[in-house]
Amino acid sequence: MFQPNMFESHHHILDMSHKTPENDLDMLRDEDYESKSGTDIMEAPSGDDQDPNQRPNKKKRYHRHTQHQIQEMESFFKECPHPDDKQRKELGRRLSLEPLQVKFWFQNKRTQMKAQHERHENTQLRNENDKLRSENIRYKEALANATCPNCGGPAAIGEMSFDEQHLRIENARLREEIDRISGIAAKYVGKPMLSYPNMSPHGPTRSLDQGVTSFSPQGMVGEMFGANDLLRSVSGPTEADKPIIIELAVTAMEELIRMAQACEPLWVPSSDNSSETLNEDEYSRMFPRGMGPKQLELKSEASRESAVVIMNHITLVELLMDVNQWSNVFSGIVSRAMTLEVLSTGVAGNYNGALQVMSAEFQVPSPLVPTRENYFVRYCKQHADGTWAVVDVSLDNLRPSSISRSRRRPSGCLIQELPNGYSKVTWVEHVEFDDRAVHNIYKLLVNSGLAFGAKRWVATLDRQCERLASVMANNIPSGDVGVITTPEGRKSMLKLAERMVLSFCSGVGASTAHTWTTLSGSGADDVRVMTRKSMDDPGRPPGIVLSAATSFWIPVQPKRVFDFLRDENSRSEWDILSNGGLVQEMAHIANGRDPGNSVSLLRVNSANSSQSNMLILQESSSDATGSFVIYAPVDIVAMNVVLSGGDPDYVALLPSGFAILPDGPGQHEGGIPEVGTGGSLLTVAFQILVDSIPTAKLSLGSVATVNSLIKCTVERIKAAVASP
């Protein structure tokens, strides 16, 4: 509850802190002291000068140092403010001073410097005090004049939090400004005034309604890859949109918390309690208007998942609110993301109250599943019980010109602090999407919620938290073997592997950032290619890079496919480029509970003695919703630099690899949920440098070679994993 008199108590605290220095009297004493301490020194009378029968003269004599002596001692003080006996004697000898005089001068100088520092701090604190006092006065005046934005009467301040009241005051001011400007525009231009939804200040009747745009399916397939690219076309919100966005964020936060904490009848558990389904009727009753009715062409998907992760709650909040960290950690799900505008950075030096408008593209690692583009606001808040919450909600309908194929209803997570640096995360994903462009072999996976749902977000976060903990470890665990001898070398190798994974994930999906060209046929396992010129990038070899990818279904469990592809002993069965050579693991870094989560350095000993040996960096990772095996050939000289702790950013990489997903929700045996007990959806993606000159023309022969390479690899994998 908000208490108006909190400002009074705060005001008294400010007054007390303002009196910290003994006011002006202390300042005068300090200045008087300073004038003497740097240049004068008190001299006590020597024993020969004293008369034993005479009372000591209480008046102290001062000895003023010469300018040369002061300069020498000043310069020495800069280097060493605390000289020892030997240094004082040497300095006294050079300056014709007694060591005691030197000692007193340095004592006085240190005291003087301390006084100056404290005086500077006092001035800063006084200025800060003045600023806080003026803010207090402003807030009290605002609260005294607070009115309800709907009825114009006095606001019931005691019924809402201070943050909420502050937002509503700002809301009312902005709405008045919008109405005034709209009125002027209507007068001169002749257009009707803007009409904004009526936003009630009371909980249950609050609306997320943005004026739903009707959806037109015409031309949809043709536009899917590139035409409707939000990340290129969307700019930040207009001033007129900002009050609506703030209201949306506050309402979305309330909905997320209720969705995360509610049980039946909102969430209906399955018969074996392994999953739960959102009761759409109950949802409509609890949130009567929400973002408006679901569009007929869109499907609804809602899921909830909880897990305990090895990450501090504050670090986790920072990860979610920093767009670069967020997109890196969730690179398998987020193909691209950017912050368009920060409306609030938060208060008290953290992200409490932070509000930012973002756009992002969410993917499945396959060119057969269209990405989901969203324009949304992200709001972070710390609640009274210490729990943090981060919520997203779509703003697509503030852009009437855009056709929304995916909408994020309030989605996000609650983060609860646990002992020993752990956090409990409860994740809610609630989206509406159009699945008509999804290829048939992926439809069951996408519609089950495993492709984009809460389970995948939480599983990815859990695995990445384990990986980050491994990177931060200062010692080399006994399980890590091979040529890594220092913690620095271990960290450099993990950093290089992270860049390799990011590069692979950003290029394997159906992102509108690039356009795939289908080479032949019309089946699911067609090979799709695209080209890219690499120039002036130390992390990539220069020249023309040809990327090729294909996705297909095989009737083998995902775990078996994953174990086969990550095992160096079976590599020669599918890797044509290894030329049948013996593959040896030179280094191994475990970075998760699952033995499959690791980074390895492999050496391919060529069967042909005329060919030089090749090094391959490989990272394999697996969780309940999918697996990756990603690798890249690396230069031996560059890799030696990395293993000795050098900068990995200058190692040129062209990652290739595999994304292995279940073909849908699995059966549940013994009450333990298991995903992918049926077949596997496997995406194979290669990147090959076809010409080292960036300006060269791409030859059809190069495309045909890569096409043949990827198809031959697919056939080898199918034959190897299908055999008993």
Side-chain angles (χ1 to χ4, degrees):
M1 285 296 231
F2 175 78
Q3 297 176 346
N5 61 2
M6 67 178 279
F7 287 101
E8 262 68 33
S9 59
H10 192 188
H11 186 68
H12 292 316
I13 292 168
L14 291 172
D15 282 341
M16 290 169 65
S17 62
H18 186 58
K19 297 175 185 175
T20 306
E22 290 286 325
N23 293 339
D24 297 334
L25 185 60
D26 276 2
M27 297 291 289
L28 289 172
R29 288 176 188 158
D30 285 343
E31 287 166 6
D32 183 55
Y33 182 77
E34 182 186 352
S35 66
K36 294 179 181 177
S37 58
T39 58
D40 300 337
I41 186 166
M42 293 185 293
E43 281 191 348
S46 65
D48 295 337
D49 295 338
Q50 287 189 21
D51 184 349
N53 299 321
Q54 183 180 355
R55 285 181 65 188
N57 184 6
K58 287 186 179 180
K59 188 173 181 182
K60 298 167 185 172
R61 292 190 297 119
Y62 290 89
H63 172 78
R64 183 174 293 278
H65 298 312
T66 66
Q67 195 64 30
H68 171 69
Q69 290 171 334
I70 293 167
Q71 286 175 351
E72 287 293 315
M73 287 191 285
E74 288 274 10
S75 66
F76 195 92
F77 183 85
K78 289 177 184 176
E79 300 294 328
C80 176
H82 292 272
D84 56 23
D85 288 340
K86 186 177 178 181
Q87 290 171 315
R88 286 198 296 267
K89 286 178 183 176
E90 175 60 25
L91 194 58
R93 186 186 62 74
R94 278 199 290 118
L95 301 177
S96 304
L97 292 171
E98 292 293 327
L100 199 60
Q101 290 178 297
V102 176
K103 179 181 179 180
F104 286 158
W105 188 90
F106 273 86
Q107 283 180 349
N108 291 343
K109 183 67 177 175
R110 287 194 297 270
T111 308
Q112 175 190 351
M113 296 302 289
K114 184 180 177 184
Q116 286 177 347
H117 179 69
E118 287 176 350
R119 195 151 51 247
H120 177 67
E121 277 192 345
N122 285 342
T123 304
Q124 282 187 319
L125 288 170
R126 191 177 293 112
N127 292 338
E128 201 169 321
N129 250 341
D130 293 340
K131 183 180 174 184
L132 286 171
R133 186 183 287 105
S134 65
E135 281 190 3
N136 260 338
I137 293 168
R138 186 163 58 85
Y139 284 145
K140 283 199 287 188
E141 287 175 352
L143 287 172
N145 300 321
T147 57
C148 173
N150 291 314
C151 66
I157 295 173
E159 294 178 8
M160 62 185 79
S161 70
F162 168 69
D163 284 351
E164 201 172 343
Q165 175 63 18
H166 191 202
L167 284 172
R168 294 186 186 291
I169 293 169
E170 184 69 6
N171 238 356
R173 187 186 67 77
L174 288 169
R175 197 176 286 110
E176 285 176 10
E177 185 72 8
I178 292 162
D179 291 344
R180 187 177 65 81
I181 294 170
S182 300
I184 295 170
K187 187 184 296 182
Y188 290 101
V189 182
K191 292 183 179 180
M193 287 180 65
L194 290 171
S195 176
Y196 291 97
N198 189 22
M199 298 172 193
S200 167
H202 304 294
T205 57
R206 239 187 235 138
S207 172
L208 291 175
D209 189 8
Q210 304 164 355
V212 179
T213 308
S214 62
F215 181 88
S216 171
Q218 294 178 354
M220 189 214 116
V221 178
E223 293 176 354
M224 180 55 70
F225 299 102
N228 183 28
D229 189 348
L230 281 169
L231 294 181
R232 292 179 199 158
S233 62
V234 173
S235 58
T238 64
E239 288 300 315
D241 289 340
K242 288 178 182 178
I244 301 175
I245 291 171
I246 292 169
E247 185 73 17
L248 277 169
V250 172
T251 309
M253 179 64 73
E254 293 175 2
E255 181 172 322
L256 173 73
I257 292 166
R258 293 172 71 185
M259 289 275 285
Q261 295 174 345
C263 298
E264 289 190 79
L266 183 63
W267 294 97
V268 181
S270 60
S271 57
D272 58 358
N273 288 321
S274 61
S275 62
E276 49 190 4
T277 307
L278 182 69
N279 182 335
E280 295 284 353
D281 293 336
E282 182 64 20
Y283 174 79
S284 300
R285 191 191 66 77
M286 285 183 69
F287 309 103
R289 291 176 66 189
M291 288 172 63
K294 179 170 71 69
Q295 298 172 27
L296 294 176
E297 296 82 2
L298 301 184
K299 289 191 173 182
S300 182
E301 172 187 294
S303 55
R304 182 172 67 170
E305 190 74 20
S306 295
V308 173
V309 297
I310 180 170
M311 182 176 280
N312 174 281
H313 64 295
I314 297 297
T315 309
L316 195 47
V317 168
E318 291 173 353
L319 181 153
L320 294 171
M321 297 304 293
D322 182 323
V323 70
N324 292 322
Q325 288 190 62
W326 175 64
S327 55
N328 285 355
V329 166
F330 295 102
S331 58
I333 308 174
V334 182
S335 55
R336 291 186 296 159
M338 65 173 69
T339 300
L340 299 170
E341 185 165 346
V342 176
L343 302 183
S344 169
T345 57
V347 294
N350 59 36
Y351 283 106
N352 185 20
L355 196 68
Q356 52 198 36
V357 176
M358 304 171 66
S359 62
E361 192 177 51
F362 303 104
Q363 68 168 357
V364 168
S366 168
L368 299 183
V369 181
T371 56
R372 296 179 178 180
E373 293 179 345
N374 285 122
Y375 170 59
F376 58 95
V377 62
R378 176 165 292 178
Y379 179 39
C380 176
K381 186 169 177 58
Q382 184 181 23
H383 295 274
D385 61 355
T387 301
W388 287 82
V390 179
V391 67
D392 297 344
V393 62
S394 275
L395 303 174
D396 298 305
N397 293 318
L398 293 179
R399 292 286 179 273
S401 60
S402 70
I403 299 173
S404 176
R405 297 191 182 90
S406 169
R407 292 202 305 170
R408 283 176 79 71
R409 288 186 178 271
S411 302
C413 63
L414 265 59
I415 303 164
Q416 188 178 343
E417 180 184 8
L418 295 178
N420 303 319
Y422 284 79
S423 301
K424 182 184 178 184
V425 176
T426 303
W427 202 289
V428 174
E429 277 293 305
H430 192 188
V431 297
E432 293 167 357
F433 64 96
D434 184 355
D435 72 336
R436 286 175 295 174
V438 177
H439 196 281
N440 284 335
I441 66 170
Y442 278 91
K443 275 206 169 169
L444 181 59
L445 177 73
V446 170
N447 292 334
S448 70
L450 288 173
F452 293 98
K455 188 178 184 70
R456 186 168 174 224
W457 285 95
V458 169
T460 302
L461 177 64
D462 188 24
R463 175 168 50 78
Q464 290 284 32
C465 286
E466 288 184 356
R467 192 188 193 284
L468 289 168
S470 175
V471 172
M472 299 302 292
N474 291 319
N475 60 330
I476 300 177
S478 57
D480 293 357
V481 295
V483 294
I484 306 171
T485 56
T486 64
E488 291 76 19
R490 186 173 179 276
K491 285 183 180 178
S492 290
M493 184 164 152
L494 284 169
K495 188 178 176 185
L496 181 62
E498 180 186 27
R499 177 158 66 85
M500 176 180 71
V501 171
L502 291 175
S503 175
F504 177 84
C505 290
S506 66
V508 73
S511 171
T512 51
H514 38 66
T515 305
W516 292 102
T517 302
T518 304
L519 288 185
S520 62
S522 58
D525 57 351
D526 295 337
V527 176
R528 289 162 170 77
V529 297
M530 62 179 172
T531 59
R532 182 179 64 251
K533 289 182 180 179
S534 176
M535 298 174 67
D536 304 322
D537 184 352
R540 295 178 187 273
I544 296 180
V545 176
L546 184 63
S547 299
T550 185
S551 298
F552 56 94
W553 177 83
I554 47 176
V556 181
Q557 290 186 14
K559 183 168 181 3
R560 183 174 172 188
V561 179
F562 174 66
D563 289 340
F564 170 76
L565 292 172
R566 74 181 177 88
D567 186 357
E568 71 274 11
N569 296 317
S570 58
R571 190 179 187 95
S572 59
E573 295 182 45
W574 59 264
D575 188 359
I576 298 166
L577 298 179
S578 66
N579 222 3
L582 177 68
V583 181
Q584 176 189 1
E585 186 177 59
M586 298 177 63
H588 178 94
I589 301 174
N591 58 7
R593 292 188 300 262
D594 191 303
N597 290 347
S598 63
V599 175
S600 304
L601 185 63
L602 309 175
R603 180 170 62 197
V604 181
N605 300 307
S606 176
N608 187 342
S609 58
S610 65
Q611 291 185 340
S612 60
N613 292 341
M614 177 170 59
L615 288 184
I616 295 174
L617 179 67
Q618 174 178 296
E619 173 154 356
S620 57
S621 58
S622 180
D623 60 50
T625 61
S627 310
F628 291 92
V629 178
I630 301 167
Y631 63 92
V634 287
D635 180 68
I636 293 176
V637 175
M639 204 62 215
N640 281 331
V641 173
V642 171
L643 292 173
S644 60
D647 187 357
D649 290 343
Y650 294 95
V651 179
L653 290 175
L654 277 181
S656 299
F658 309 94
I660 308 145
L661 300 175
D663 58 1
Q667 299 159 358
H668 306 287
E669 298 175 4
I672 302 172
E674 197 174 299
V675 173
T677 51
S680 301
L681 296 168
L682 179 60
T683 297
V684 182
F686 288 164
Q687 288 190 87
I688 296 174
L689 187 71
V690 293
D691 202 309
S692 57
I693 302 170
T695 54
K697 299 288 185 182
L698 179 67
S699 69
L700 289 175
S702 299
V703 177
T705 302
V706 172
N707 185 28
S708 174
L709 175 68
I710 199 168
K711 285 199 166 184
C712 187
T713 303
V714 168
E715 291 306 317
R716 285 190 174 196
I717 291 170
K718 284 181 176 179
V721 298
S723 61

